Amino acid sequence: MLHKLLLAGAAPLALASCGGATVLPDATFLTEPASLTVAPRRTGYADPIRNYTARPVVEPADWRELNRSQERG
């Protein structure tokens, strides 16, 4: 059983090695700017916690009262 499993796994690898090498596409555009006439946009620092609101830990409230306060109607 193990031999059949190894053969099933090795067969695709052996067959794939018989083919020619695949030529990779040209990827130089990844390192070049999109347009040589337009300057790249400069972005400034954005504070990630500028809208932070401190919410201290409180004791859990009665969930029934919370549900009643959020009921429609």
Side-chain angles (χ1 to χ4, degrees):
M1 178 67 177
L2 183 61
H3 295 291
K4 290 181 184 179
L5 186 61
L6 289 175
L7 181 63
L13 294 175
L15 292 175
S17 65
C18 296
T22 304
V23 178
L24 297 176
D26 182 26
T28 56
F29 68 92
L30 294 173
T31 59
E32 296 175 355
S35 173
L36 297 176
T37 59
V38 178
R41 186 174 72 168
R42 303 286 181 215
T43 56
Y45 173 75
D47 187 12
I49 57 171
R50 68 177 170 269
N51 296 328
Y52 173 75
T53 303
R55 294 183 178 88
V57 177
V58 295
E59 291 295 321
D62 182 27
W63 60 269
R64 290 181 187 96
E65 187 60 39
L66 179 62
N67 286 347
R68 280 188 214 109
S69 70
Q70 295 179 356
E71 281 182 348
R72 294 184 185 193

